[in-house]
Amino acid sequence: MMERIVQAIESASALASYRERALSWAPEIARIDPGPIGAFMGYDFHLGPDGPQLIEINTNAGGAFLNTVLARAQHRCCDPSQQTAATKQALDGFEDAVLDMFEQERKKQRTDSMPSCLAIVDDDPQSQFMFPEFQLAEQLLQARGIDTLILDPSELEYVDGALTANGKRIDMVYNRLVDFALDAPAHEALRRAYLDGAVVVTPNPRVHALMADKRNLILLSDPQTLRDWGLNEAEAGYLASAVPKTRLVAASNAAELWRVRRELFFKPVAGHGSKGVYRGNKLTRRVFENILEGDYIAQNFVPAGERAMKVDGTVTTRKVDIRLYTYAGKSLLAAARVYQGQTTNFRTPGGGFAPVFQL
């Protein structure tokens, strides 16, 4: 079901009218279409009595490499009856699927399919929570014959049409930056190389603008408009059932949003990592005024599912959401995030990533 929802979203995002609307609020750099469609898309869902509910979309979704290692370890010790063919196939085929994904991304911009040198780029990568994942990605790609570097963008140089680092020419970047438009001064070399078409960047600013800008949830939660734009009835039906109603926060609807705030969740349009988000039932008037001054959307609140578990010998409950990692609308891996509190986090005792086994 979740994969069908993902495919419906990607069909909607390919509609000319959808793209025109999404790009109308995007930065100028997003109007450039170099070809790649985005490695490791992440679709986050809450599960409930009404089926999967889409919470958000991410273009540089972290955790796939770590979750593969975790799921394989869990798979080795679980009851054989839980070792379904679908789960085993996803885990056994992960490395091949990742390699094919990067090959396809490169082919969409270059005639040759394999990069000679790929850089995994993030700000101060060794300080990042996901740094072990970068190392796993590096190991996988190196083992498949792709020279791979983990770099801070300040290590990149762009001279005479070549993006280089450590004396090596970089022809592909696996982009883990959260500066989605590559606007920061520290990202200038990467930005210029991208604009000149000198390097394949995935995911890139256009993919973020079309898929992960949270204003797009306004479009995806309006199935009738999507039908009018050409989305078929079946896919519009999936979105009608799975995408909570979302609206833009503005002065013109402030009174109504304040009145129904307890039923809403407020998110910055370009946010990431649950930063700057607010559950409506906890809003103060002062915080709401700050939201009105920023760029926010308001999404109908959908409670997370819960799972009973034992932590330090005590049975307790934790919230759970599901992340589907995909490429070109096809699932690469499913993983859960277990947490306590208003939003997903990795600080909860007994929380963090957890494997998902398909039954």
Side-chain angles (χ1 to χ4, degrees):
M1 178 65 172
M2 285 186 288
E3 188 168 324
R4 290 179 179 176
I5 295 166
V6 167
Q7 291 165 356
I9 291 168
E10 300 205 0
S11 292
S13 71
L15 297 171
S17 295
Y18 173 100
R19 293 192 164 207
E20 181 181 359
R21 186 69 60 84
L23 292 173
S24 72
W25 50 56
E28 188 64 28
I29 194 172
R31 298 185 181 279
I32 297 169
D33 182 6
I37 60 175
F40 283 118
M41 291 294 299
Y43 293 83
D44 296 342
F45 293 91
H46 285 176
L47 303 183
D50 297 325
Q53 298 291 295
L54 181 76
I55 301 305
E56 64 182 38
I57 303 171
N58 299 279
T59 49
N60 58 357
F65 294 91
L66 290 171
N67 277 299
T68 299
V69 173
L70 177 63
R72 283 174 175 162
Q74 189 77 19
H75 206 255
R76 291 189 182 101
C77 66
C78 70
D79 187 301
S81 66
Q82 299 176 22
Q83 299 182 17
T84 64
T87 301
K88 187 175 187 303
Q89 182 179 5
L91 295 177
D92 289 348
F94 180 76
E95 284 83 359
D96 287 341
V98 169
L99 191 67
D100 181 67
M101 173 179 65
F102 282 116
E103 287 181 357
Q104 293 302 317
E105 284 294 87
R106 184 163 176 81
K107 282 181 179 177
K108 292 180 184 300
Q109 188 173 340
R110 293 279 191 272
T111 55
D112 55 327
S113 62
M114 291 293 290
S116 59
C117 186
L118 181 147
I120 302 167
V121 176
D122 202 354
D123 292 315
D124 192 9
Q126 293 189 6
S127 72
Q128 297 291 338
F129 183 80
M130 288 292 178
F131 182 63
E133 167 158 279
F134 299 168
Q135 294 176 303
L136 289 171
E138 178 187 34
Q139 291 169 15
L140 187 160
L141 295 168
Q142 292 274 27
R144 298 302 182 98
I146 300 174
D147 191 11
T148 305
L149 306 173
I150 302 173
L151 299 174
D152 182 278
S154 66
E155 298 177 82
L156 296 169
E157 295 183 335
Y158 183 56
V159 179
D160 296 330
L163 186 69
T164 62
N166 302 336
K168 297 181 178 182
R169 182 165 183 158
I170 309 297
D171 50 12
M172 190 169 189
V173 168
Y174 174 26
N175 175 24
R176 295 296 295 261
L177 295 165
V178 294
D179 172 19
F180 303 115
L182 305 178
D183 278 336
H187 305 155
E188 177 63 20
L190 179 58
R191 178 186 175 90
R192 289 193 294 116
Y194 172 72
L195 289 173
D196 287 350
V199 65
V200 177
V201 177
T202 182
N204 60 47
R206 183 178 179 86
V207 176
H208 180 271
L210 291 174
M211 305 301 299
D213 187 306
K214 291 180 178 58
R215 284 169 290 202
N216 298 342
L217 294 170
I218 301 168
L219 308 179
L220 294 171
S221 67
D222 184 356
Q224 186 53 55
T225 294
L226 294 175
R227 290 185 185 98
D228 293 342
W229 287 347
L231 190 65
N232 68 54
E233 186 60 39
E235 291 184 316
Y238 282 124
L239 298 186
S241 66
V243 184
K245 181 66 178 177
T246 306
R247 66 219 80 177
L248 189 67
V249 175
S252 59
N253 62 0
E256 175 62 13
L257 293 177
W258 177 255
R259 186 182 68 81
V260 299
R261 66 190 182 280
R262 292 178 177 84
E263 303 167 13
L264 301 174
F265 209 93
F266 295 84
K267 300 178 181 181
V269 299
H272 60 90
S274 299
K275 295 177 181 177
V277 303
Y278 298 97
R279 170 82 187 273
N281 67 345
K282 299 182 183 299
L283 273 187
T284 64
R285 191 76 199 192
R286 180 185 62 80
V287 171
F288 185 68
E289 293 298 328
N290 291 338
I291 288 173
L292 289 174
E293 294 174 3
D295 292 323
Y296 270 76
I297 55 98
Q299 185 181 55
N300 282 3
F301 174 69
V302 177
E306 292 189 333
R307 181 73 181 264
M309 59 191 305
K310 187 176 287 187
V311 179
D312 296 331
T314 302
V315 176
T316 185
T317 59
R318 293 287 184 263
K319 296 176 181 177
V320 177
D321 73 4
I322 303 296
R323 170 167 287 179
L324 199 64
Y325 298 94
T326 73
Y327 179 65
K330 299 294 184 182
S331 176
L332 298 170
L333 186 75
R337 295 181 296 177
V338 181
Y339 64 100
Q340 189 176 39
Q342 176 175 272
T343 60
T344 53
N345 65 81
F346 293 98
R347 301 180 300 276
T348 300
F353 285 125
V356 171
F357 296 98
Q358 301 178 48
L359 299 177

